[in-house]
Amino acid sequence: MTVTLSATLAANEDIERRRRAGERVLNLAFGEAGLPVHPALRDKLAAASERNGYGPVAGASELRTAAAGYWTRRGLITDPELVVCGPGSKSLLYGLLLAIGGDVVLPMPSWVSYAAQADLVGSRPILIPAPSGQGGVPDPDLVKAAVLDARAQGRTVRSLLVTLPDNPTGRLAPRSAIHRLVALARELDLYVISDEIYRDLLHDPSTSFTSPADLAPERTIVTTGLSKSLALGGWRIGVARLPDDAHELRARLLAVASEIWSAPAAPIQEAAAYAFTDPSELTERVRQSRRLHGTLARAVHDRFVEIGASVPAPQGGFYLYPDLSHLRLGGSADVTRLLLDQHGLGVLPGHAFGDDPAAARVRVAVSLLYGDTTEDRLTALTSPDPLQLPWIAASLDHLSMGLKELSLASRERRPALVPTGCHG
């Protein structure tokens, strides 16, 4: 088995090396929330700093109760006994793949770590394209045949994974797609793993959100955390809501957890328990974050559209997924290399997300455009028009110039069309 560094982490480290060497590079590759920690959370963490015991493998009862309340307030009644906590939802997803076993159906494209984790646990991911204009869900019209074909080959397929809203596309699957997937999961006896880490960052909070757990709580596992909504990626805390009566799955997951992470860090759990109660100061911070992410995502979307890229309008999180195939500059790796080496724009190639390498699609993250200092980021968070802030405007100008230069270079590379017809 060959294990390589995560594409997102590798790209971020490469960009930072280039910056230290004096290159001007706009980092649109790394999916970090790019905002400061709220002071109330810092206070909770500091107050809990003396807590140095391991605690229960499933997580502290206060955190499990708070997480259960978080889901209940969103319409999904949850028993704290079916909540398991871990050092980030990423770790929980890995533990779940081990605990469930068998192969997993993934949307294509999908977050870089899903397929990599499947490989690590000895699972063979079944990549199914998302429906046109959507993201985060495998096309329901293709899932059944793919699963039956895999089983006919002797493979064991036990789960299907969705991301709501999606990374890399920033799109949210509609209720109709979720309803059809849930029906297939019942028919094929599959667990549904629903990664909802970006749920609270829908740009329009009035957008209808349907979790598979709303429709099939008996077979859906929901994971989330605080790395995106409250920018606590470095704190590493996540929670999973297991299906109703999934006591055997819980026992297997806890067995895995006991051998990998033992228990999440106790001080972080206490701060997270506070966050999951949705206190007013933190819900306001999430509201501001959602607004800022949406504003920058739309602005970046417009700049790609200006050069003729095909890019679905993002609906949540801080990503978009433009297709630059019209420039005819090669596949995703070629376009990514050109953007970075010649135009100072760091993005991730679509093939890192399982997409067709020949397609010139790239994942763009806008969340590191908010500023390089805490002061600048807080200013962006509260500004009535963050696009007018000098550092954000300069970044957007850099992006526009790079994309226009790329588009111009593509026209210059194309062979001239030879006219046909009579010559007189």
Side-chain angles (χ1 to χ4, degrees):
M1 178 187 300
T2 301
V3 181
T4 60
L5 188 66
S6 165
T8 51
L9 297 174
N12 189 59
E13 292 182 6
D14 181 34
I15 290 169
E16 289 307 310
R17 280 194 297 270
R18 290 170 181 260
R19 283 179 161 179
R20 288 194 296 270
E23 292 185 42
R24 186 187 179 197
V25 180
L26 199 63
N27 192 347
L28 300 167
F30 197 41
E32 188 166 74
L35 292 168
V37 177
H38 194 283
L41 288 168
R42 294 202 307 268
D43 292 344
K44 291 292 182 181
L45 183 63
S49 60
E50 290 187 354
R51 292 187 55 189
N52 61 349
Y54 284 107
V57 175
S61 61
E62 296 86 355
L63 175 53
R64 290 186 287 109
T65 298
Y70 165 90
W71 278 304
T72 298
R73 285 188 296 278
R74 286 154 180 79
L76 189 60
I77 297 173
T78 301
D79 180 354
E81 288 302 309
L82 289 174
V83 175
V84 175
C85 312
S89 62
K90 186 174 184 177
S91 300
L92 286 167
L93 288 164
Y94 179 74
L96 284 163
L97 290 176
L98 277 170
I100 294 171
D103 294 340
V104 58
V105 178
L106 299 177
M108 183 178 72
S110 57
W111 181 44
V112 298
S113 289
Y114 295 146
Q117 288 190 350
D119 289 340
L120 284 172
V121 304
S123 171
R124 293 168 59 190
I126 301 171
L127 298 173
I128 305 293
S132 178
Q134 297 183 25
V137 296
D139 191 330
D141 291 335
L142 304 176
V143 168
K144 183 175 180 179
V147 171
L148 293 179
D149 181 62
R151 287 175 172 170
Q153 298 174 40
R155 296 167 61 180
T156 301
V157 186
R158 290 187 176 148
S159 59
L160 178 154
L161 191 148
V162 300
T163 315
L164 305 169
D166 181 40
N167 170 13
T169 66
R171 299 289 292 173
L172 177 67
R175 182 179 179 87
S176 57
I178 301 302
H179 191 278
R180 292 168 64 201
L181 279 174
V182 163
L184 279 171
R186 284 196 172 113
E187 180 182 349
L188 299 170
D189 192 22
L190 298 172
Y191 280 112
V192 179
I193 304 171
S194 186
D195 182 351
E196 299 178 10
I197 192 78
Y198 298 98
R199 173 172 183 162
D200 292 337
L201 293 181
L202 282 172
H203 301 159
D204 180 354
S206 66
T207 301
S208 176
F209 181 96
T210 301
S211 169
D214 295 327
L215 306 176
E218 81 285 354
R219 65 180 57 250
T220 301
I221 302 152
V222 180
T223 64
T224 193
L226 303 174
S227 60
K228 310 304 178 183
S229 61
L230 287 168
L232 297 181
W235 286 24
R236 310 310 304 142
I237 192 72
V239 291
R241 181 201 185 275
L242 302 185
D244 297 347
D245 300 319
H247 301 291
E248 289 185 12
L249 176 61
R250 180 181 186 273
R252 292 196 299 273
L253 179 58
L254 292 183
V256 169
S258 71
E259 301 297 352
I260 297 179
W261 62 78
S262 299
I268 303 294
Q269 289 192 73
E270 188 152 318
Y274 169 71
F276 277 117
T277 62
D278 291 325
S280 58
E281 62 267 33
L282 295 189
T283 56
E284 173 61 16
R285 169 58 68 86
V286 172
R287 185 196 67 79
Q288 293 173 326
S289 303
R290 182 170 61 231
R291 173 181 168 273
L292 179 61
H293 296 321
T295 298
L296 266 293
R298 287 188 293 273
V300 170
H301 171 269
D302 290 346
R303 281 150 178 81
F304 276 94
V305 170
E306 284 175 3
I307 65 159
S310 173
V311 48
Q315 295 171 285
F318 30 80
Y319 305 117
L320 54 157
Y321 199 62
D323 187 336
L324 298 166
S325 297
H326 71 292
L327 299 180
R328 294 184 237 173
L329 293 170
S332 61
D334 301 309
V335 170
T336 299
R337 186 168 54 253
L338 284 169
L339 285 169
L340 180 58
D341 291 344
Q342 298 186 18
H343 307 288
L345 300 174
V347 299
L348 285 183
H351 73 259
F353 298 84
D355 208 344
D356 179 0
R361 288 185 280 269
V362 296
R363 204 286 303 273
V364 178
V366 306
S367 48
L368 295 186
L369 301 182
Y370 308 150
D372 294 329
T373 68
T374 296
E375 181 181 4
D376 284 350
R377 292 166 180 166
L378 286 174
T379 299
L381 194 65
T382 57
S383 172
D385 189 359
L387 302 183
Q388 298 305 312
L389 295 173
W391 57 93
I392 292 179
S395 292
L396 293 174
D397 287 345
H398 181 177
L399 174 63
S400 291
M401 181 177 296
L403 291 177
K404 288 174 182 176
E405 290 173 348
L406 181 73
S407 182
L408 179 61
S410 76
R411 291 197 293 271
E412 292 174 347
R413 291 184 187 197
R414 294 176 196 169
L417 296 176
V418 178
T420 59
C422 298
H423 298 271

